[in-house]
Amino acid sequence: MNKKVATFTLSLGLLHSVSAVEVTGSAGIDLRYYLQDALYLQQERTYGSLFISPEIYGEFNDGQDALLFKPFYRVDEHDDERSHGDIRELQWAHYQENWETKVGIGKVFWGQTESLHLVDIINQTDWVESVDGEAKLGQPMANFSYFSGYGNFSVFVMPYFRERTFQSSEGRLRPPVAITDAIYESANEQNNVDYALRWQSSIGDWEVGLSYFSGTTREPELVTNLSDNGDLSINPFYAQIDQVGLDLLKVSGAWLLKLESIYRKGQSEDFAAVVAGFEYNQERVFGSRYGLGYLAEYQYDEREDNFFATGQNDIMLGLRVIANDIAGTEILMGFVQDLDDTSTYSAYLEASSRLSANWRWKLDGYFFSSNNQDDPFFFLRRDDHIEFSLEYYF
């Protein structure tokens, strides 16, 4: 995609080099429409919002050092908690031939599978942005990575914890009571220092990742409390955990084989979870320019009663449509079925295309069904919605 780039010449004083600073980013408007009347009081059918996400990037010292600043801000029509700002990234990076360091607020992604990202634990989920968990808050960290013939080794130190964002009473996609003040196992609360290690390498046709995390869980458990005057509250409880993770990817012709697995201890129950499956890509279907990707993944989680443990014994089937046109049109459709309860399922739709070099539209849809009061989707059964976004890239 073409982007307008503003270039400035900077004198860096003691740093005897000259750099170009690129200013890019995007801004847009979202309209979210819920297909059913609200289940809880104070909720609406339509939610409009505006957002902006600029990005400033500069290099100096002949490219050995770089600075990245990426803020984000959204204003929502009804939900005060969705009106929020965040520094997604504000990071200094220093690069050498076989190692690099990054310090500041960063964003790191781990994982290979489509339907769930079990091993992705560095950044906190920005829940008010998207129900699929893809949007993440910036994480303060120091990161050192070493690259060798034996793989890439990374160490992360995270001195400050980010709480997960949740909807207000006016927002949807929430339990019967809005989730409020956090509870911590650590006496240091948000100032607890977390650590993570990761090794990643290519072994034959396989991409292999091993990870270890120790610190405050990014995925809280919800605790129900009743005050002396009878007021009910739901609070996120952040335990201290240890988690080991494995992710695998094999590319074999048109086939992608994927797996993510974790074992976590420290919460109300120690558990293992895994998601595994494949994607098969077919080009020029029936002689047309269109490509299709067929996806299937199995989800397993040992936990029985957790609001965020949705893939306990589920199967995901998906179809990706790639138009291979100048507008970059893509459509992804997915369906997730609970194998223990046929009444519990979810479906999603993601579509996007460019209108011009600077404009893009997106259409997302999420649909939920459950008759089981113990299932997380039971609280979302009236929250089927579609969301249209018009975004300008500068």
Side-chain angles (χ1 to χ4, degrees):
M1 176 179 297
N2 294 327
K3 298 181 179 179
K4 295 181 178 178
V5 178
T7 304
F8 307 89
T9 301
L10 300 181
S11 174
L12 297 175
L14 296 176
L15 302 173
H16 52 78
S17 59
V18 176
S19 171
V21 173
E22 295 182 349
V23 180
T24 60
S26 64
I29 181 172
D30 282 350
L31 180 62
R32 184 179 289 182
Y33 176 74
Y34 289 86
L35 305 184
Q36 301 100 343
D37 289 332
L39 187 61
Y40 311 120
L41 295 176
Q42 300 176 281
Q43 296 178 323
E44 305 289 341
R45 287 283 292 270
T46 60
Y47 291 76
S49 65
L50 302 171
F51 66 90
I52 184 169
S53 180
E55 180 175 319
I56 303 171
Y57 177 81
E59 293 182 349
F60 51 98
N61 281 349
D62 297 323
Q64 287 189 315
D65 294 89
L67 290 172
L68 174 64
F69 178 41
K70 190 174 181 180
F72 173 85
Y73 194 80
R74 180 183 297 277
V75 178
D76 189 85
E77 179 183 10
H78 299 297
D79 188 348
D80 291 339
E81 293 298 327
R82 196 165 187 250
S83 293
H84 71 301
D86 182 46
I87 298 177
R88 299 302 202 209
E89 297 181 76
L90 177 56
Q91 199 167 62
W92 163 71
H94 178 73
Y95 303 102
Q96 290 293 328
E97 182 177 351
N98 60 351
W99 61 270
E100 67 181 33
T101 59
K102 295 181 179 180
V103 178
I105 299 173
K107 187 175 180 181
V108 176
F109 173 76
W110 298 345
Q112 301 290 0
T113 55
E114 177 71 33
S115 57
L116 290 176
H117 300 306
L118 295 176
V119 303
D120 189 33
I121 196 172
I122 295 293
N123 291 82
Q124 178 61 272
T125 298
D126 193 350
W127 187 257
V128 299
E129 278 299 303
S130 176
V131 70
D132 62 6
E134 297 289 341
K136 299 290 184 176
L137 299 173
Q139 173 61 50
M141 71 174 76
N143 166 225
F144 173 80
S145 297
Y146 176 73
F147 313 109
S148 74
Y150 300 99
N152 302 334
F153 300 85
S154 297
V155 179
F156 300 84
V157 180
M158 293 155 281
Y160 185 78
F161 174 74
R162 303 295 309 279
E163 294 180 5
R164 183 169 294 203
T165 56
F166 293 107
Q167 294 81 358
S168 68
S169 298
E170 292 78 19
R172 298 187 67 157
L173 297 163
R174 64 168 176 82
V177 178
I179 301 170
T180 55
D181 301 332
I183 303 171
Y184 291 90
E185 179 181 354
S186 171
N188 294 323
E189 297 187 339
Q190 287 183 278
N191 294 314
N192 187 80
V193 180
D194 303 334
Y195 304 91
L197 305 171
R198 180 166 170 84
W199 170 77
Q200 187 172 8
S201 183
S202 298
I203 303 176
D205 295 332
W206 292 91
E207 293 290 330
V208 183
L210 291 173
S211 58
Y212 171 74
F213 174 91
S214 179
T216 307
T217 180
R218 271 50 177 166
E219 185 182 73
E221 296 177 293
L222 299 185
V223 179
T224 301
N225 292 300
L226 192 64
S227 67
D228 294 337
N229 59 9
D231 292 333
L232 180 69
S233 67
I234 298 178
N235 305 92
F237 174 68
Y238 294 98
Q240 293 296 296
I241 66 164
D242 292 284
Q243 175 178 304
V244 292
L246 167 68
D247 55 276
L248 300 172
L249 173 67
K250 181 179 182 180
V251 180
S252 179
W255 291 88
L256 301 177
L257 305 180
K258 309 176 183 182
L259 178 141
E260 292 186 33
S261 180
I262 62 170
Y263 179 77
R264 183 187 301 170
K265 59 185 299 184
Q267 292 184 274
S268 60
E269 57 180 317
D270 300 343
F271 70 95
V274 64
V275 55
F278 68 86
E279 179 173 353
Y280 176 77
N281 294 296
Q282 182 181 8
E283 301 293 336
R284 300 187 62 83
V285 178
F286 300 120
S288 70
R289 70 168 189 268
Y290 290 91
L292 294 178
Y294 308 94
L295 300 91
E297 292 180 352
Y298 173 70
Q299 307 168 355
Y300 174 76
D301 194 312
E302 288 185 322
R303 290 174 292 179
E304 294 183 357
D305 186 19
N306 187 294
F307 184 80
F308 301 108
T310 57
Q312 295 166 322
N313 182 27
D314 299 6
I315 187 168
M316 184 277 289
L317 301 176
L319 179 67
R320 191 190 314 273
V321 181
I322 303 174
N324 290 315
D325 58 358
I326 195 171
T329 306
E330 291 192 17
I331 302 172
L332 174 63
M333 297 171 283
F335 179 82
V336 182
Q337 175 65 59
D338 188 328
L339 299 179
D340 295 323
D341 182 358
T342 57
S343 75
T344 299
Y345 60 84
S346 64
Y348 58 90
L349 166 70
E350 300 174 4
S352 66
S353 184
R354 286 195 301 267
L355 296 172
S356 68
N358 300 99
W359 288 95
R360 172 179 286 272
W361 62 264
K362 293 176 58 181
L363 181 66
D364 297 327
Y366 297 94
F367 313 93
F368 314 95
S369 174
S370 180
N371 295 327
N372 183 357
Q373 296 188 24
D374 296 327
D375 191 272
F377 289 151
F378 183 78
F379 301 107
L380 308 178
R381 64 193 184 279
R382 298 275 289 275
D383 284 336
D384 297 349
H385 65 277
I386 56 175
E387 182 172 354
F388 178 78
S389 303
L390 186 61
E391 194 165 0
Y392 178 77
Y393 293 84
F394 52 87

